Amino acid sequence: MSNPSLLILAGDGIGAEVMTEVRKVIDWVGTNKGLTFDVSEDLVGGAAYDAHGTPLHDDTMAKAQEVDAVLLGAVGGPAYDDLDFSVKPERGLLRLRKEMDLFANLRPAQCFDALADFSSLKRDIVSGLDIMIVRELTSGSYFGEPRGIHIEDNQRVGINTQRYTEAEIDRVARSAFELARRRGNKVCSMEKANVMESGILWRDVVTELHAADYADVELSHMYADNGAMQLVRAPKQFDVILTDNLFGDILSDCAAMLTGSLGMLPSASLGAPMANGRPKALYEPVHGSAPDIAGQGKANPSACILSFAMALRYSFDQGDLATQLEAAVEKVLADGTRTGDLMQASDGTPATTTEMGDAVIAELAAF
Ligand code: NAD
């Protein structure tokens, strides 16, 4: 059997710095766990624009379609702010998501005990929090037609359309139910069935699918506005939250902030299974290229390292190793090795990006 393949697209700003630490983890896994990856690297975002005049070269897109998983750092930066919309760094990322048809976006909101004081909520509300938001990523209001701004009765009218087919709802709901079976076995589906027809269809399709194939999973439904309220009132009531593209955009950012720092948040975007049974997959930290700290060794590599842990779990069926890596990150934080984003001014000298990555490797070795 050939080795599993990874395409690394470090991108811009702190992308390269945090990805360097992930490379150390990949190498460690190869040497110590007998899990060797065939790793290739390429450009995306501003780095690809500088080299090729496009934020994602066709050859890179083709490679992304062939590998078992793509790991992405971050894209963007002030140098590219004035570029035409069609070649902005973010277009490279959107192209990857669209052409790989990554319809299920997984955003965990997990609060390590050591970081509970960084949340804007009280410690007892967030400590031990572990929820997963599954957001539909390729349809709904951000893609629906008609859309645009036009003139009607002598004034401008802005239009976007919330549109979902049964198949689009079914496939992302399946992802959520499958995921729940590997976690707390509960799905809460959020929409606005009280005021939107697309919400009524969403609720119907999820309910039908549940009855047909996932009756063993506990299913509940909630209006998305109540969901937002419950996320800040009592977030630990949730296991997996399933929602559409627009509500998911907002709810996942809200859930993310329960956990403290952007530097801690991983994500996965999954598509349909390939011939080898693995889903098309892109793993990336939630944060951007952080131009304010880029090149200074200040970036927290945890989000990118935890994104690789998600790859181990969801693309390579290495759940135990993923758990071990997550525990190593948690232990490093608990022992006090932290980058500046996880410290108060009075806490002493922050660890550098490299020191943080090295500490995670040392912790892995100590297990
Ligand atoms: P950002 O996430 O880059 O940074 C927001 C703040 O969080 C900054 O103060 C930054 O220093 C801090 N931060 C982010 N990640 C951190 C880390 N790992 N460790 C420590 N601190 C960290 O968001 P922004 O400043 O709004 O955007 C900067 C650029 O990134 C823009 O060009 C934007 O378009 C792009 N962006 C890209 C992505 C992506 O690649 N997926 C996501 C968001 C923003």
Side-chain angles (χ1 to χ4, degrees):
M1 281 240 310
S2 57
N3 294 329
S5 55
L6 280 175
L7 172 62
I8 290 186
L9 303 172
D12 308 319
I14 62 167
E17 296 166 58
V18 294
M19 202 56 90
T20 299
E21 305 312 307
V22 175
R23 284 301 301 254
K24 290 181 189 166
V25 177
I26 294 171
D27 291 345
W28 186 90
V29 163
T31 308
N32 296 281
K33 296 287 174 181
L35 179 59
T36 303
F37 291 94
D38 289 337
V39 180
S40 53
E41 296 192 46
D42 212 328
L43 304 174
V44 68
Y49 178 81
D50 290 341
H52 305 300
T54 167
L56 190 75
H57 196 277
D58 288 346
D59 291 348
T60 316
M61 186 65 243
K63 270 191 229 170
Q65 296 283 21
E66 281 163 18
V67 291
D68 292 318
V70 179
L71 288 183
L72 189 134
V75 296
Y80 309 103
D81 281 352
D82 295 331
L83 287 181
D84 185 74
F85 187 68
S86 62
V87 288
K88 275 194 183 293
E90 291 76 7
R91 302 301 297 175
L93 180 52
L94 292 178
R95 183 177 175 199
L96 281 164
R97 288 179 181 159
K98 184 165 187 288
E99 295 192 19
M100 292 170 75
D101 198 13
L102 303 172
F103 57 81
N105 181 229
L106 278 50
R107 293 257 305 252
Q110 202 174 2
C111 186
F112 293 143
D113 202 42
L115 298 182
D117 293 329
F118 277 85
S119 171
S120 48
L121 298 189
K122 295 191 195 91
R123 167 174 272 277
D124 61 317
I125 292 182
V126 292
S127 181
L129 178 76
D130 181 8
I131 60 185
M132 177 73 81
I133 300 206
V134 178
R135 165 190 170 194
E136 200 289 326
L137 200 60
T138 53
S139 186
S141 304
Y142 296 165
F143 296 93
E145 299 284 349
R147 63 184 297 162
I149 299 176
H150 64 256
I151 304 290
E152 236 177 76
D153 296 333
N154 288 324
Q155 63 173 331
R156 286 176 299 165
V157 178
I159 299 176
N160 290 93
T161 302
Q162 167 84 336
R163 180 180 189 279
Y164 271 107
T165 66
E166 287 182 83
E168 287 167 341
I169 301 167
D170 182 275
R171 66 181 184 172
V172 71
R174 271 182 201 283
S175 300
F177 284 125
E178 293 288 342
L179 204 60
R181 278 184 176 160
R182 297 159 76 163
R183 298 173 39 98
N185 213 37
K186 287 201 299 187
V187 171
C188 180
S189 173
M190 296 187 185
E191 26 56 12
K192 289 283 288 175
N194 50 343
V195 287
M196 297 172 76
E197 285 77 5
S198 58
I200 295 173
L201 181 71
W202 184 281
R203 191 174 283 220
D204 283 352
V205 173
V206 173
T207 304
E208 288 157 14
L209 176 65
H210 176 253
D213 291 343
Y214 296 99
D216 57 302
V217 180
E218 186 183 322
L219 171 67
S220 59
H221 301 275
M222 198 177 269
Y223 298 137
D225 49 341
N226 183 27
M229 206 159 65
Q230 295 300 327
L231 268 176
V232 290
R233 193 188 71 82
K236 285 191 245 179
Q237 69 185 283
F238 298 114
D239 176 28
V240 173
I241 293 174
L242 163 67
T243 190
D244 73 13
N245 202 345
L246 173 60
F247 296 136
D249 197 1
I250 297 163
L251 292 169
S252 60
D253 269 20
C254 176
M257 277 302 99
L258 302 175
T259 68
S261 167
L262 259 180
M264 292 303 301
L265 297 167
S267 79
S269 300
L270 306 180
M274 299 182 283
N276 62 9
R278 294 185 173 124
K280 290 249 171 175
L282 173 86
Y283 298 89
E284 56 177 324
V286 168
H287 63 70
S289 58
D292 54 333
I293 57 167
Q296 300 171 40
K298 292 181 176 173
N300 181 354
S302 300
C304 206
I305 292 173
L306 294 171
S307 300
F308 178 60
M310 292 186 83
L312 288 172
R313 180 173 288 120
Y314 298 119
S315 282
F316 303 112
D317 216 11
Q318 294 284 335
D320 289 348
L321 195 49
T323 304
Q324 192 178 334
L325 182 53
E326 288 157 356
V329 172
E330 182 168 15
K331 181 79 171 33
V332 166
L333 296 170
D335 287 350
T337 304
R338 296 179 184 190
T339 41
D341 55 312
L342 302 175
M343 295 178 76
Q344 315 286 359
S346 56
D347 284 349
T349 312
T352 63
T353 309
T354 308
E355 286 166 349
M356 187 85 185
D358 289 346
V360 171
I361 297 292
E363 205 51 60
L364 278 173
F367 270 108

